[in-house]
Amino acid sequence: MKKLDIKDLGKFRLLGGLDVYKNKTAFTVAEISLEKDDYFSKIYLYDGRKVKPFTSGPKDSNPKFSPDGKLIAFTSKRDKESKEAELYLIPTTGGEARLLRKFKFGISDYEFSPDGKQLVVIAPVEIERRKKKDEDVHLIKEIPFWFNGIGWIYGKRSHIFLVNLESGRKRKLTKGKLNVQTLKWSSSGDKIYFIAEENKEKEPMISDLFVLDLKSRKIEKLTESKWRISDFVVLDETTFILRMSTLERGIPTNTHIYLFNAETKEIKKLTAELDRSAYNSLNCDVRGKSRNPLIYKDGWVYYIATDGPRANLFRVNLEGKIERVIGGDRSVETFGIGSYLVFIAQDATTPTELYVFRDGKERKVSDFNGWIKEYKLSKPEHFKVKASDGVEIDAWIMKPLDFKEGKKYPAILEIHGGPKTAYGYSFMHEFHVLTAKGFVVIFSNPRGSDGYGEEFADIREHYGERDYQDLMEVVDEALKRFDFIDEERIGVTGGSYGGFMTNWIVGHTKRFKAAVTQRSISNWVSFFGTTDIGYFFAPDQIGKDPWSNLDGYWEKSPLKYAPNVETPLLIIHSIEDYRCWLPEALQFYTALKYLGKEVELALFPGENHDLSRSGKPKHRVKRLELIAGWMERWLKG
């Protein structure tokens, strides 16, 4: 059988963007073209019998059915000369798609009206003049001024537009500094409910539920600016299902499902029995863009939750009874409910596919990634690590494909980002590439990870402490259990929080013989003032701000420990990474070079924080080549 190669990245098909009407399912399938260095996508339709292509592409995505099921709306970029986002309509029976409207700065979301005659669209707009047409100077008056993957966002907000399906005419319904995130129509069609941020500068973690009366054009805020609400379901004019975080533990607070009364302002946590985040936080580098649905049907609220190393589909009723609907060692990506339940899922050795759950039976109905069956893959082997404080840590090991008993192999410790994400039963192309090249791969969910409850996830003000110990104890346990690991040839790598931890590790131990840090943090002070989330993420995670806690910020900065570094380090960073901006890489590289350490720096132009997941295909290939090459140089050479 074949070994999975770096350039096999171009074979993956990424499924996502699913919507359901009765027995019909529309979804997006994206492909990665190494030849054209781009991504291309089409919409496919499953009619209850077979899957078939529905649109021609090349950039079609995010399909949604009209209320009567006769139309499908979708977003696209078919006009090669235009930078605007395009909204199309196409009959469900097929035919030519009709361009309904273009939006200059993109489309965040949209919904059909109950009568199917209008669409309500969320789109970014300029709320104040940013600069003159021929001017290249940025005059900035607010924070955040840029955002990862988008670029400059100052002076922009996402607002609601009403678009007529016949004429394509649009009417702006909201204004000012409201930043709208998601919305729903009332069943009568005379109101629009929406989630928005009122003040991203002063209250960046707060979002509220609002209602817009279409006749009077009046907007009323229904919540009290205490929570971060991400989605909702309208039960009636006063009763709502909210998916939200109360922020009691700051960012580590789990997102739960609540019942909310808009008159009394009372909330009831429906998912109190399951201390898990109501979304999928598993890491994967070959997944499609998907919605995170919240669906109310027959007295049950259906939602995805991360439960340890799994992302499963659950449902909860209004009394708080929770049931697991779609379980297993896998990652449910998205779902929809029509005549039956449809979902997209993957696992550690199977990329994304479409599945149907009907009459208690599950069936895979697509085979976009069937080519993977021709490849020999290393299946992750799970083991538990009892940490020194008694808490159990989930960990996995993947043997190299050429494994032979009695032989010693170099190993690589992989550390996930977040920190409130998780590794588990999802496909990681990177891991399979490394095992194909003869490495053992070790990965785990240390303290700070999602899926194990709020207390487990809460490492605020304690970065580099218990989380660092957990990782070292995972390596210790792996060496005890698996005698084929060469303890003299272990490397470490990670991105984002995993990059921070890689930087921290090389400044605190010499046990690793090679390291690759990616999209990392090296200095919490500079991170606070230069990144899109730094001004609220750093105070939440490190404590207070740099003026109140300079010693704490510096104490937790890997840059402080640069003189201790003895491990050869490769720094990989994207030039347009606004989540962990370029200075994080530059100052760590400069410090290590100045101190005479073994270090190299690889910078990727035009890329952002998501290089490993959605960067240009050729850059993604180069990144993997750099990681594998560095590890081969120092662990095999």
Side-chain angles (χ1 to χ4, degrees):
M1 296 181 78
K2 302 176 185 177
K3 292 183 178 180
L4 199 63
D5 185 64
I6 290 173
K7 291 188 178 180
D8 286 324
L9 178 68
K11 294 182 178 179
F12 286 93
R13 297 297 177 262
L14 317 178
L15 278 64
L18 177 150
D19 195 39
V20 178
Y21 176 79
K22 293 185 178 179
N23 68 332
K24 292 184 174 65
T25 301
F27 60 103
T28 305
V29 179
E31 61 180 76
I32 305 168
S33 173
L34 298 182
E35 181 183 354
K36 296 183 179 179
D37 199 24
D38 203 354
Y39 297 82
F40 299 98
S41 58
K42 299 178 183 178
I43 293 167
Y44 280 72
L45 201 63
Y46 173 66
D47 60 5
R49 299 187 304 275
K50 61 181 180 178
V51 172
K52 57 185 179 182
F54 185 65
T55 66
S56 57
K59 300 269 187 177
D60 302 341
S61 62
N62 198 23
K64 290 191 179 183
F65 286 96
S66 62
D68 59 7
K70 294 181 179 180
L71 291 173
I72 293 177
F74 64 93
T75 56
S76 187
K77 278 204 171 185
R78 296 187 173 187
D79 185 348
K80 295 180 181 179
E81 304 301 318
S82 173
K83 293 182 179 180
E84 296 178 306
E86 301 159 3
L87 187 59
Y88 284 84
L89 292 173
I90 185 171
T92 314
T93 52
E96 287 295 318
R98 172 171 67 91
L99 176 62
L100 179 65
R101 190 80 204 187
K102 292 183 179 182
F103 288 85
K104 184 176 181 181
F105 298 113
I107 296 170
S108 302
D109 198 6
Y110 65 92
E111 292 284 344
F112 278 96
S113 61
D115 62 8
K117 295 180 180 179
Q118 301 178 97
L119 277 170
V120 64
V121 179
I122 303 174
V125 295
E126 289 184 334
I127 61 169
E128 62 180 45
R129 188 172 180 176
R130 285 147 49 91
K131 56 183 182 179
K132 295 178 181 178
K133 186 176 181 180
D134 299 323
E135 203 170 60
D136 58 1
V137 175
H138 294 273
L139 180 60
I140 301 168
K141 303 175 184 178
E142 62 182 10
I143 55 173
F145 41 83
W146 54 24
F147 196 82
N148 184 69
I150 298 176
W152 298 106
I153 62 167
Y154 70 93
K156 282 184 184 177
R157 297 292 187 276
S158 288
H159 281 293
I160 300 174
F161 293 85
L162 200 60
V163 181
N164 183 281
L165 261 61
E166 289 295 325
S167 65
R169 290 179 181 176
K170 68 177 181 180
R171 180 160 60 100
K172 190 162 170 279
L173 300 180
T174 55
K175 60 183 179 180
K177 291 194 173 184
L178 278 178
N179 192 49
V180 181
Q181 297 170 319
T182 189
L183 50 75
K184 302 280 194 310
W185 286 85
S186 64
S187 57
S188 58
D190 60 350
K191 292 183 177 67
I192 294 172
Y193 296 91
F194 63 93
I195 303 295
E197 299 167 318
E198 279 190 298
N199 193 333
K200 195 168 180 62
E201 182 171 291
K202 299 297 183 183
E203 295 182 320
M205 292 194 286
I206 300 294
S207 52
D208 283 290
L209 175 65
F210 297 81
V211 58
L212 166 65
D213 187 301
L214 289 173
K215 292 180 180 178
S216 66
R217 299 287 295 273
K218 288 183 178 179
I219 295 174
E220 179 186 357
K221 185 165 69 170
L222 302 178
T223 50
E224 299 177 304
S225 300
K226 298 187 294 187
W227 311 316
R228 181 152 193 86
I229 308 170
S230 55
D231 201 0
F232 66 101
V233 173
V234 183
L235 298 185
D236 57 48
E237 289 191 353
T238 59
T239 315
F240 303 85
I241 303 294
L242 303 181
R243 177 165 51 210
M244 70 177 197
S245 166
T246 59
L247 300 172
E248 291 173 14
R249 285 181 180 258
I251 291 171
T253 310
N254 278 342
T255 297
H256 279 279
I257 310 298
Y258 293 84
L259 185 66
F260 171 66
N261 186 300
E263 286 186 347
T264 65
K265 310 301 180 186
E266 293 177 342
I267 59 169
K268 174 185 176 183
K269 185 190 286 188
L270 298 180
T271 51
E273 291 183 4
L274 186 65
D275 185 17
R276 299 291 184 264
S277 296
Y279 52 78
N280 185 336
S281 56
L282 296 186
N283 284 262
C284 172
D285 53 6
V286 282
R287 64 165 31 119
K289 293 181 180 178
S290 288
R291 306 183 194 100
N292 182 21
L294 189 65
I295 297 176
Y296 181 76
K297 186 174 178 64
D298 299 330
W300 293 88
V301 183
Y302 290 76
Y303 69 101
I304 296 171
T306 304
D307 183 20
R310 306 162 191 84
N312 289 166
L313 178 61
F314 293 83
R315 68 178 188 175
V316 60
N317 65 19
L318 301 188
E319 284 71 51
K321 180 183 178 182
I322 299 174
E323 295 181 352
R324 195 184 304 258
V325 181
I326 304 294
D329 290 343
R330 58 179 160 185
S331 171
V332 176
E333 301 289 293
T334 188
F335 69 96
I337 303 175
S339 302
Y340 41 82
L341 194 150
V342 185
F343 64 98
I344 293 170
Q346 58 168 310
D347 62 39
T349 55
T350 309
T352 52
E353 296 290 359
L354 184 69
Y355 297 80
V356 167
F357 184 75
R358 192 174 194 175
D359 300 326
K361 295 181 180 180
E362 179 185 315
R363 183 165 62 96
K364 182 166 76 74
V365 297
S366 74
D367 197 34
F368 290 97
N369 289 296
W371 58 270
I372 201 73
K373 298 168 189 172
E374 300 174 9
Y375 287 75
K376 182 181 179 182
L377 299 176
S378 178
K379 188 174 182 180
E381 299 175 34
H382 177 256
F383 64 101
K384 288 279 189 182
V385 179
K386 190 171 184 178
S388 53
D389 64 351
V391 174
E392 284 194 331
I393 306 298
D394 276 328
W396 294 264
I397 191 165
M398 294 171 69
K399 293 176 182 175
L401 290 188
D402 58 1
F403 180 78
K404 294 179 182 178
E405 291 288 350
K407 185 178 178 181
K408 293 278 190 180
Y409 293 90
I412 300 170
L413 174 66
E414 290 267 5
I415 308 171
H416 66 64
K420 200 173 186 282
T421 67
Y423 279 142
Y425 300 108
S426 53
F427 201 100
M428 289 295 296
H429 175 233
E430 178 178 323
F431 294 3
H432 289 290
V433 164
L434 293 173
T435 57
K437 291 184 176 294
F439 294 101
V440 176
V441 173
I442 305 166
F443 58 100
S444 65
N445 289 331
R447 243 63 66 94
S449 301
D450 200 12
Y452 302 90
E454 287 181 3
E455 185 175 350
F456 189 97
D458 193 355
I459 59 170
R460 291 174 301 165
E461 301 184 39
H462 295 286
Y463 273 49
E465 298 175 24
R466 187 65 254 180
D467 50 348
Y468 169 67
Q469 286 180 262
D470 286 351
L471 289 164
M472 295 306 99
E473 289 169 13
V474 164
V475 175
D476 291 340
E477 184 65 24
L479 288 170
K480 286 180 187 176
R481 290 185 182 227
F482 309 106
D483 59 5
F484 51 83
I485 299 175
D486 187 342
E487 64 178 331
E488 296 299 320
R489 294 188 293 159
I490 303 178
V492 59
T493 187
S496 196
Y497 164 78
F500 160 83
M501 186 50 67
T502 300
N503 295 343
W504 185 267
I505 284 171
V506 297
H508 286 79
T509 180
K510 299 176 184 177
R511 73 184 301 176
F512 296 94
K513 304 306 176 186
V516 180
T517 183
Q518 308 164 59
R519 52 199 174 98
S520 68
I521 295 171
S522 66
N523 183 348
W524 284 104
V525 178
S526 55
F527 172 83
F528 172 93
T530 62
T531 66
D532 58 357
I533 65 171
Y535 69 102
F536 65 88
F537 186 85
D540 182 80
Q541 299 291 290
I542 304 304
K544 303 180 182 178
D545 57 43
W547 298 273
S548 307
N549 186 24
L550 185 58
D551 289 344
Y553 272 63
W554 184 237
E555 189 71 25
K556 296 300 179 187
S557 294
L559 187 62
K560 175 182 177 179
Y561 307 99
N564 301 340
V565 175
E566 298 295 336
T567 307
L569 180 68
L570 172 63
I571 301 172
I572 293 177
H573 216 94
S574 297
I575 292 177
E576 294 178 16
D577 183 346
Y578 302 140
R579 185 62 37 84
C580 297
W581 195 36
L582 185 59
E584 298 305 306
L586 298 183
Q587 60 191 310
F588 203 46
Y589 171 76
T590 300
L592 294 176
K593 204 69 179 172
Y594 173 80
L595 293 166
K597 310 296 183 177
E598 187 69 54
V599 62
E600 292 183 14
L601 174 65
L603 299 178
F604 285 77
E607 299 293 356
N608 60 59
H609 197 66
D610 299 319
L611 166 64
S612 64
R613 302 177 286 254
S614 59
K616 294 176 182 175
K618 289 181 180 178
H619 281 164
R620 292 178 66 175
V621 167
K622 182 64 176 178
R623 170 189 164 272
L624 288 170
E625 289 174 346
L626 286 169
I627 294 169
W630 189 261
M631 295 301 182
E632 286 177 328
R633 173 181 170 185
W634 294 102
L635 302 184
K636 292 182 179 181

